[in-house]
Amino acid sequence: MTIDDAEYNELKEKVTAYLSSLEGKGVDTTVNIAKGIGVKRKECSKILNRMEMDGLVQPAGVMAGVAGYKLKE
């Protein structure tokens, strides 16, 4: 499954809004981010990986064996 630029930009905005709305450190797991923006976990992982390459998010520790992400400062 490939994500085109228009879809990436739309989902990138949703991820950014979701992570911005979190309390505390603003960290959440891929599974929770996917649920929060209404996409499958695999698709969310691809979005997060691309956002990480673009310097928008960064990995933020591991909770219960699951990687978390947060917006880059």
Side-chain angles (χ1 to χ4, degrees):
M1 180 186 91
T2 310
I3 297 168
D4 64 38
D5 288 343
E7 187 178 9
Y8 169 68
N9 288 327
E10 182 184 323
L11 292 172
K12 176 177 71 174
E13 296 299 321
K14 288 183 179 182
V15 170
T16 302
Y18 177 80
L19 290 174
S20 296
S21 73
L22 296 176
E23 296 292 316
K25 295 180 180 171
V27 177
D28 211 344
T29 63
T30 305
V31 172
N32 288 341
I33 295 168
K35 284 181 188 168
I37 67 169
V39 297
K40 291 186 165 82
R41 185 193 58 78
K42 261 188 170 168
E43 187 175 8
C44 188
S45 288
K46 289 180 181 174
I47 297 294
L48 288 166
N49 285 337
R50 187 160 164 189
M51 288 179 73
E52 188 179 347
M53 284 191 291
D54 290 347
L56 301 170
V57 297
Q58 64 189 42
V62 173
M63 295 171 271
V66 181
Y69 282 90
K70 69 176 184 176
L71 291 173
K72 229 173 180 174
E73 315 246 329

